[in-house]
Amino acid sequence: MRKLLTVLVATGGCIALGGCFTGSEPRLADGFGLHFQDEGSDVKLAYGLADSDDVALMLQCSKGAGEVQVTDVARDSARPVLVLASSDGVSVLSASLQPNPEGQAPLLAAQTSVASPALAAFRRTGRISVRNGDFRYGITATGDERAAVGRFFAACGPARSTAGGQVA
């Protein structure tokens, strides 16, 4: 009983902080994963279902630009903020509401640098958590997905600035 209580308290603390990861972070939905797309002058790293428009987090950049557009489905349009956390890096991103091309809930869109604290840590660890309003989820890249994360950041290039990636 005491061990169970300790685990529950520790888990609750991790959930409250929004940043504790295990090697088996649950997926947002069955089949969700990280998928790299090279579209010529732009690259994307999408967390969603392969070959579909069912996507949660989307990272997109122009090759070599060092700046990343971050989008996610708006869960709370009254608070247009995305919080990304990975390891010891946290980035609080002011976002704007954008129409969803799929006609569903609007999207939150924000700009940041590949050197923002959360993205720099994500590049190193393959782990990131997303907070969007009261909704939180974690992403842990598998072996093949780690390679996709590496390709994405290599294609985006070096950081030009740290605008939009504030440490919280």
Side-chain angles (χ1 to χ4, degrees), residues 118-137:
L119 291 185
F122 177 46
R123 182 179 196 170
R124 282 190 325 273
T125 66
R127 297 176 179 166
I128 194 163
S129 67
V130 180
R131 189 173 76 214
N132 175 340
D134 291 332
F135 188 77
R136 299 172 191 223
Y137 60 95

Side-chain angles (χ1 to χ4, degrees), residues 37 79 92 131 137 165:
Q37 299 171 346
R79 293 185 286 175
V92 179
R131 189 173 76 214
Y137 60 95

Side-chain angles (χ1 to χ4, degrees), residues 41-61:
S41 62
D42 293 333
V43 291
K44 295 178 180 180
L45 185 64
Y47 179 65
L49 295 176
D51 302 318
S52 80
D53 293 327
D54 193 356
V55 173
L57 184 68
M58 171 74 78
L59 305 178
Q60 181 176 352
C61 73

Side-chain angles (χ1 to χ4, degrees), residues 30-130:
D30 287 343
F32 266 42
L34 287 165
H35 306 282
F36 175 77
Q37 299 171 346
D38 186 332
E39 298 185 338
S41 62
D42 293 333
V43 291
K44 295 178 180 180
L45 185 64
Y47 179 65
L49 295 176
D51 302 318
S52 80
D53 293 327
D54 193 356
V55 173
L57 184 68
M58 171 74 78
L59 305 178
Q60 181 176 352
C61 73
S62 296
K63 288 182 179 174
E67 294 295 314
V68 178
Q69 179 179 12
V70 180
T71 57
D72 194 3
V73 176
R75 316 281 185 201
D76 181 354
S77 58
R79 293 185 286 175
V81 173
L82 287 170
V83 180
L84 305 178
S86 179
S87 191
D88 60 351
V90 177
S91 300
V92 179
L93 308 177
S94 295
S96 62
L97 286 170
Q98 305 285 321
N100 188 332
E102 301 306 312
Q104 300 160 355
L107 301 174
L108 286 179
Q111 290 289 129
T112 193
S113 167
V114 294
S116 69
L119 291 185
F122 177 46
R123 182 179 196 170
R124 282 190 325 273
T125 66
R127 297 176 179 166
I128 194 163
S129 67
V130 180

